Amino acid sequence: PFRLFKATQYEGGIRTPLLIRYPGEIRPGSESNTLVQATDLLPTLRDLAGQSPTLSQTDGISIRPSFKGTNLPDRSLYWYAPLYDIQWGATPGAAIRKGRYKLIEHFGDYIDLDNGGVYHTEALTELYDIEADEGESKDLAVLRPGITRELRTELFGWIKDMNLELPVKNPDYQKENALVRGNR
């Protein structure tokens, strides 16, 4: 039911199952709907090894409490992909999930994969209510400007805090030489 696929910031590209086997700590066959991300793995492994799960410059947390059914603290989850992946039609972007909402920021251009792979040379900000619309079919960015502004500010604050670089336009770009999906 999820939109699009690998290398995109949409649910089809970022939502994947995590399977963990840990006899004596996790009941076999148990399931959890806890939202976690790859950055949680190192703090979790440190916790399981008896070390402090807290690391400097990490945005992950130990998910060990969820093994026993304890809810993790509410937090924002972030994704950052500053790359082009022509094979999948992905352009530089980032996303934030906070509660029921997810904001996707396409930094300077995007490929509209839902409409035949049309290439757009402008930035795009999208907002989705993932709980009500897990297929991300209704962009709410214009309808909910306050939430859009709040999440966008938080996302760019996280990018700054993590010392990440935003992609910039190539000054040597020539449209006639562009490699766009389907044109080689």
Side-chain angles (χ1 to χ4, degrees):
F2 306 126
R3 184 174 178 190
L4 295 177
F5 37 73
K6 182 179 178 174
T8 69
Q9 305 296 326
Y10 299 101
E11 292 297 288
I14 61 175
R15 191 185 290 200
T16 58
L18 172 64
L19 305 174
I20 300 176
R21 180 178 183 266
Y22 191 18
E25 181 105 8
I26 301 174
R27 185 175 43 82
S30 61
E31 294 183 15
S32 170
N33 289 321
T34 302
L35 294 176
V36 300
Q37 60 186 98
T39 56
D40 295 330
L41 296 179
L42 182 57
T44 302
L45 292 172
R46 288 179 57 90
D47 189 9
L48 294 171
Q51 297 180 3
S52 170
T54 304
L55 299 169
S56 61
Q57 294 300 312
T58 182
D59 53 348
I61 62 171
S62 174
I63 62 171
R64 187 178 189 181
S66 70
F67 296 173
K68 300 287 187 188
T70 301
N71 290 332
L72 297 177
D74 290 336
R75 64 185 171 137
S76 298
L77 299 177
Y78 305 93
W79 294 266
Y80 175 71
L83 308 170
Y84 285 92
D85 189 333
I86 299 300
Q87 175 183 357
W88 298 102
T91 57
I96 178 175
R97 168 87 187 260
K98 185 174 186 176
R100 67 184 305 130
Y101 293 102
K102 183 171 89 178
L103 180 129
I104 301 172
E105 181 73 22
H106 303 273
F107 292 129
D109 55 0
Y110 68 99
I111 298 173
D112 186 352
L113 297 168
D114 293 318
N115 293 302
V118 176
Y119 178 70
H120 298 270
T121 57
E122 66 275 357
L124 175 67
T125 302
E126 300 172 276
L127 177 70
Y128 298 98
D129 180 340
I130 298 300
E131 289 181 16
D133 178 22
E134 68 181 5
E136 296 165 306
S137 63
K138 185 171 181 176
D139 181 2
L140 303 172
V142 173
L143 297 173
R144 302 227 169 101
I147 295 169
T148 300
R149 189 172 36 258
E150 174 191 335
L151 292 181
R152 195 166 187 271
T153 299
E154 185 176 335
L155 177 62
F156 279 95
W158 174 80
I159 288 169
K160 182 180 179 190
D161 290 347
M162 295 304 293
N163 235 2
L164 302 172
E165 291 186 32
L166 290 175
V168 295
K169 289 193 178 214
N170 179 350
D172 298 322
Y173 171 76
Q174 296 175 355
K175 186 174 183 171
E176 63 275 7
N177 295 331
L179 177 61
V180 179
R181 187 178 177 95
N183 298 333
R184 302 207 188 260

